Amino acid sequence: MSLSLSRSGLKVALSCRTRISAEPAVSRTITPMMTTAATSGITTLQPVDTFDELVEEIRRQLGLTSGIDSEDVDIEQLMDAMRRYTSDTSDWDKYAHTDLSRNYTRNGVDDMNYKANLLVLVWNPGKGSLIHDHADAHCIMKILQGELVESIYKWPEGDKPRRMHVERREEYHENDVTYMHDKIGLHRISNETQKPAVSLHLYTPPWAAKYGCLAFDERTGKQIKVNLSNLYSDKGVICSRRADHV
């Protein structure tokens, strides 16, 4: 997609929950899922043809009842569904609202029966999020257009102000899929290019929207709570109230 900067301006959703130390056994690989011919005796995974089909597949995997717990989510299956969808601008363009006064916009797609938040974030060139946590929720991100950089940090330790340092940097391109959780650490997402970037984010459970998240000052490690209950747009319609972001 060649998105003109007239439509979207992304924002990362965060959450404020207790720090957890152990990393979950979930692959952060971004390699697209390969399918195997039916003659091999292994079930062939079919592509997800449209964005709407992807939304329905995620909803199917999460089920109909609300109140899902973080431990009940099959992250590998959700990531696989996102890998099997090849981004097509015409599929999701109606959600990609842009605002040049912001680093990015957070645009609601679906609340998945109140079990998750599915958002399209539009990132302005040279802009990014603050360092933030995810309120002990799972976060899956797929790049729909452009390129994004993820900077991963350790949780600050102790009360003494101390500069936070990047532990790892990852670069993602169109159709790459990755995963983040508080057990892995904190992160910041940035668009370091001169073109807009668009990403799809699934947060489950939707703790950040309900309780907010924690954002961190890179210079001191000091944290602040951020409200993320207000979107820039919801289901393609721009919201009248002031949108939240980190």
Side-chain angles (χ1 to χ4, degrees):
M1 153 187 172
S2 61
L3 180 70
S4 66
L5 204 53
S6 61
R7 296 293 303 276
S8 204
L10 177 68
K11 205 86 179 158
V12 166
L14 303 178
S15 129
C16 66
R17 298 284 292 245
T18 306
R19 170 190 173 184
I20 304 176
S21 58
E23 181 170 342
V26 175
S27 171
R28 284 170 53 84
T29 180
I30 59 177
T31 304
M33 192 71 167
M34 302 297 291
T35 59
T36 306
T39 55
S40 67
I42 300 175
T43 301
T44 301
L45 294 174
Q46 298 299 320
V48 177
D49 293 327
T50 68
F51 187 81
D52 287 344
E53 286 183 16
L54 175 59
V55 174
E56 287 302 317
E57 174 62 15
I58 294 171
R59 185 184 292 112
R60 184 191 67 79
Q61 289 191 28
L62 292 177
L64 298 175
T65 59
S66 60
I68 190 169
D69 181 81
S70 182
E71 297 302 321
D72 297 331
V73 182
D74 191 328
I75 293 301
E76 293 290 358
Q77 288 189 11
L78 290 169
M79 291 179 72
D80 174 60
M82 286 201 179
R83 292 186 188 104
R84 289 186 282 125
Y85 168 68
T86 300
S87 182
D88 182 338
T89 308
S90 63
D91 280 349
W92 47 261
D93 189 56
K94 65 180 180 182
Y95 300 109
H97 291 283
T98 303
D99 185 336
L100 293 178
S101 70
R102 299 169 177 272
N103 287 4
Y104 61 91
T105 55
R106 300 172 58 247
N107 304 282
V109 175
D110 200 293
D111 63 13
M112 300 294 162
N113 300 311
Y114 305 103
K115 300 179 74 170
N117 293 120
L118 188 64
L119 308 178
V120 166
L121 279 62
V122 183
W123 305 87
N124 282 322
K127 302 297 184 179
S129 72
L130 299 175
I131 301 169
H132 59 273
D133 78 344
H134 291 85
D136 200 20
H138 301 284
C139 172
I140 302 174
M141 178 177 74
K142 179 184 178 72
I143 309 302
L144 296 177
Q145 175 189 292
E147 303 174 9
L148 290 171
V149 172
E150 179 187 34
S151 300
I152 300 172
Y153 299 78
K154 288 183 179 179
W155 283 80
E157 296 182 354
D159 298 328
K160 183 178 180 180
R162 187 173 303 172
R163 185 171 187 85
M164 301 175 68
H165 298 282
V166 176
E167 294 291 314
R168 187 165 78 251
R169 268 174 55 98
E170 302 285 354
E171 296 183 5
Y172 302 113
H173 305 272
E174 187 169 314
N175 289 312
D176 286 346
V177 176
T178 189
Y179 169 81
M180 188 62 177
H181 191 280
D182 291 350
K183 295 175 182 178
I184 296 171
L186 307 170
H187 79 172
R188 172 168 56 196
I189 300 297
S190 305
N191 177 6
E192 299 182 356
T193 74
Q194 297 305 307
K195 297 180 180 180
V198 184
S199 53
L200 179 66
H201 295 244
L202 176 67
Y203 303 97
T204 182
W207 298 143
K210 290 184 178 181
Y211 306 116
C213 73
L214 296 178
F216 296 80
D217 186 331
E218 185 174 21
R219 299 166 299 177
T220 64
K222 181 179 179 181
Q223 64 185 42
I224 59 171
K225 186 174 181 180
V226 179
N227 176 34
L228 290 173
S229 61
N230 298 321
L231 299 170
Y232 187 81
S233 72
D234 191 24
K235 297 178 175 63
V237 179
I238 295 179
C239 302
S240 58
R241 59 185 180 274
R242 182 176 176 82
D244 302 317
H245 61 274
V246 292

